Amino acid sequence: MALPSTPHSPGRLVVIQAQKPKRCATCRRGPLSLLVLEDGAPRCLHCADLGHLVFLPRGDTALTRRSREESGLSVVVVRFNRRKSRYERQGVLVEEAALARAEARCLADAEARRRRRARDARRRVAEDERFAAAFAAEILRLFPGCPADRARAIAAHASVRGSGRVGRSAAGRALSEGAVVSAVVAAVRHVDTPYDQLLMSGVSRYEARRWIAPAVESVLRAWQDAGAEVG
């Protein structure tokens, strides 16, 4: 089976992490864990003049950046994700001496970087708390009858950092009405209707949403009308 085409990376060498046993087309060494594709044929690192490099897995951003700074030659290592049909970065190849120098640099300022990470984490927590409070306030503006604790719970759920939920979208961060309403609708759907039970019983998502739509609309209207009554 042919290897997927090497990802286009202008000005940057790329090595592939093999998924199936391959042998070098030049020296026949194998199976290869890392290879270079040249003219569609796999080559081992030695035949590609990269055998003197060592592999640094991804995960430590500072160490990777410094290793590449210290190394006269560095190569990106990728692996093909069949499910996503794309190459994904796995790490880099760098000179062994460069890696040692980078490790020494990282050890020298490890405490300073730890304190900086802690400060950044506290800053993100404060930002997230302010954003969740603003999101909850917008929910209460649009749905005055929504209980305050419920608005806070919806806002907290919708705005979790890295969740991909509507609160973290561009529209959500801008507190657009559509994004806020979407978050409220989703919360009502899961909490105030038998939507989840319908899904568990085998009902399709679209059919389940159709069935519970009147119940969702009833809750939303009640929360909106409560504000009109107060006014």
Side-chain angles (χ1 to χ4, degrees), residues 145-198:
C146 176
D149 59 343
R150 186 71 186 280
R152 288 192 293 270
I154 294 172
H157 179 79
S159 60
V160 172
R161 187 182 293 266
S163 65
R165 295 171 187 151
V166 66
R168 302 309 303 187
S169 65
R173 291 195 299 274
L175 296 178
S176 76
E177 182 172 324
V180 174
V181 170
S182 293
V184 173
V185 168
V188 170
R189 182 186 298 132
H190 289 288
V191 175
D192 300 290
T193 77
Y195 178 69
D196 291 350
Q197 294 92 318
L198 290 171

Side-chain angles (χ1 to χ4, degrees), residues 56 60-71 89 92 94 102 105-106 109 113 116:
L56 174 60
D60 190 325
T61 304
L63 182 58
T64 297
R65 174 174 53 80
R66 288 174 170 177
S67 295
R68 298 190 68 179
E69 290 172 355
E70 294 284 351
S71 188
R89 184 170 177 155
V92 293
V94 294
R105 288 173 59 187
C106 287
D109 65 359
R113 288 187 293 113
R116 184 168 62 248

Side-chain angles (χ1 to χ4, degrees), residues 3 14-16 18 22 32-37 42-45:
L3 285 164
V14 176
V15 162
I16 297 174
K22 295 288 180 181
L32 304 176
S33 58
L34 298 174
L35 59 90
V36 176
L37 275 184
R43 300 283 194 279
C44 69
L45 297 188

Side-chain angles (χ1 to χ4, degrees), residues 18 20-36 42-52:
K20 292 188 176 182
K22 295 288 180 181
R23 290 190 174 276
C24 177
T26 301
C27 69
R28 304 309 300 166
R29 180 180 297 154
L32 304 176
S33 58
L34 298 174
L35 59 90
V36 176
R43 300 283 194 279
C44 69
L45 297 188
H46 291 282
C47 290
D49 296 329
L50 302 174
H52 62 297

